[in-house]
Amino acid sequence: MNSIICLRCSSTLGLTETLLDDSTHPTESAQFTSCLRFICSECASKKSHSGQIVTCDHMPPCPVASVSTSGIALEEVESFVAPQAQLASQALPSKIKALLEDIRRIPSDVKCIVFSTWRLTLDLITRGLDKEGIPNIRFDGKVPQKDRHSVVTAFNSDPSIRVMLLTLSCGAVGLTLTAASRAYLMEPHWNPTLEEQALARIHRLGQSREVETVRFYVRDSFEEQVMKVQESKKQLAGVLLSPHDSAQTNDNLGTLEVSGF
């Protein structure tokens, strides 16, 4: 839970900087050692330009690997998926089939937001929506900053665009998407606050419709464990943020004991 601090310059890597990173210029990657020391990209770049090797302070030096601190990188999985696995099947996953079926049955004037952590998932959803002839628009970390306002404006004002595909990392940033009244979460995220921040883009001042949220998860899979972690985090937050009257405190502490904290 502690901040990540650069071993060389003692600068702190902030989560907000990571999620709002729109840099499109290649820079030297940050470095992380096997002894859990972090060297920021700026210090790594200075070392590289001076011909020095980035190391920790141990002798002999521990192994070092490049890491990305960009929010865009958190959305990418294509480089980890074998090409043959990507092309192995043209059939859409069951989750996406269920999503398309739900979108087909709702009135045509209802706008939807589809949230996912992964751009690859949004790629598959785009393929399914295009096949069904459902107009959609995309907003993720690869959309240039200068084009983001026009993407949001098009979704809010164009009645023909029914669906916006949005990554959670972008959805957590200040957007107003009150034109939508239905939200889909394609998978549970270990951080429930990130989900709540994304859904808050729809539940904002100016929303005139009742908003419905549909959450997808695979039964008897790891996603059920993620949902249990979410519930534990919410209970812990409830204890920390609740009023400190004795009755409420005792109830919350009892909940924590049952949850295993």
Side-chain angles (χ1 to χ4, degrees):
M1 297 297 292
N2 293 331
S3 300
I4 301 176
I5 300 175
C6 176
L7 177 65
R8 301 302 173 196
C9 66
S10 299
S11 62
T12 302
L13 176 66
L15 177 61
T16 303
E17 297 172 359
T18 298
L19 294 179
L20 297 180
D21 181 13
D22 292 314
S23 175
T24 56
H25 303 288
T27 59
E28 188 74 20
S29 296
Q31 305 290 314
F32 208 72
T33 68
S34 62
C35 60
L36 306 183
R37 300 295 195 276
F38 175 76
I39 298 93
C40 69
S41 57
E42 185 175 350
C43 290
S45 180
K46 289 179 180 178
K47 286 277 188 180
S48 177
H49 291 157
S50 63
Q52 297 178 303
I53 300 175
V54 175
T55 63
C56 60
D57 295 329
H58 295 146
M59 291 299 294
C62 301
V64 179
S66 298
V67 294
S68 176
T69 58
S70 168
I72 297 176
L74 298 177
E75 304 167 2
E76 298 289 350
V77 296
E78 288 95 333
S79 59
F80 300 103
V81 181
Q84 60 270 25
Q86 295 182 26
L87 303 175
S89 173
Q90 295 299 318
L92 292 174
S94 57
K95 269 190 186 181
I96 298 178
K97 289 180 180 178
L99 169 69
L100 296 175
E101 182 179 347
D102 194 82
I103 292 176
R104 281 197 301 266
R105 72 172 181 81
I106 62 177
S108 59
D109 63 334
V110 175
K111 286 180 177 282
C112 311
I113 305 288
V114 181
F115 293 103
S116 178
T117 305
W118 314 111
R119 294 189 70 255
L120 180 59
T121 299
L122 297 186
D123 290 341
L124 294 172
I125 295 172
T126 299
R127 196 179 80 189
L129 291 171
D130 291 343
K131 187 176 180 180
E132 294 289 333
I134 301 174
N136 59 90
I137 199 167
R138 181 85 165 253
F139 192 119
D140 58 37
K142 284 194 171 181
V143 176
Q145 184 68 36
K146 61 182 178 63
D147 297 334
R148 295 188 173 190
H149 178 71
S150 60
V151 170
V152 174
T153 301
F155 176 74
N156 287 332
S157 60
D158 190 341
S160 67
I161 301 177
R162 295 184 57 196
V163 181
M164 173 181 277
L165 308 179
L166 190 61
T167 51
L168 277 177
S169 59
C170 287
V173 181
L175 301 174
T176 299
L177 300 171
T178 52
S181 57
R182 195 169 184 83
Y184 298 93
L185 289 167
M186 295 307 297
E187 66 279 317
H189 193 280
W190 67 270
N191 183 0
T193 302
L194 195 62
E195 292 184 355
E196 292 168 3
Q197 288 175 340
L199 293 173
R201 305 307 107 210
I202 306 172
H203 292 271
R204 302 196 76 173
L205 188 65
Q207 178 58 261
S208 58
R209 294 190 179 193
E210 182 177 347
V211 178
E212 292 183 302
T213 300
V214 179
R215 298 173 183 268
F216 291 97
Y217 72 95
V218 178
R219 185 179 300 160
D220 299 325
S221 74
F222 178 72
E223 290 183 342
E224 287 191 335
Q225 300 302 316
V226 175
M227 293 170 69
K228 290 179 181 178
V229 171
Q230 283 186 339
E231 191 60 32
S232 297
K233 288 176 179 287
K234 290 178 182 178
Q235 290 176 354
L236 179 59
V239 171
L240 297 176
L241 302 178
S242 64
H244 295 292
D245 60 89
S246 58
Q248 182 74 25
T249 301
N250 290 336
D251 290 343
N252 287 332
L253 289 176
T255 301
L256 285 185
E257 291 173 359
V258 171
S259 302
F261 285 98

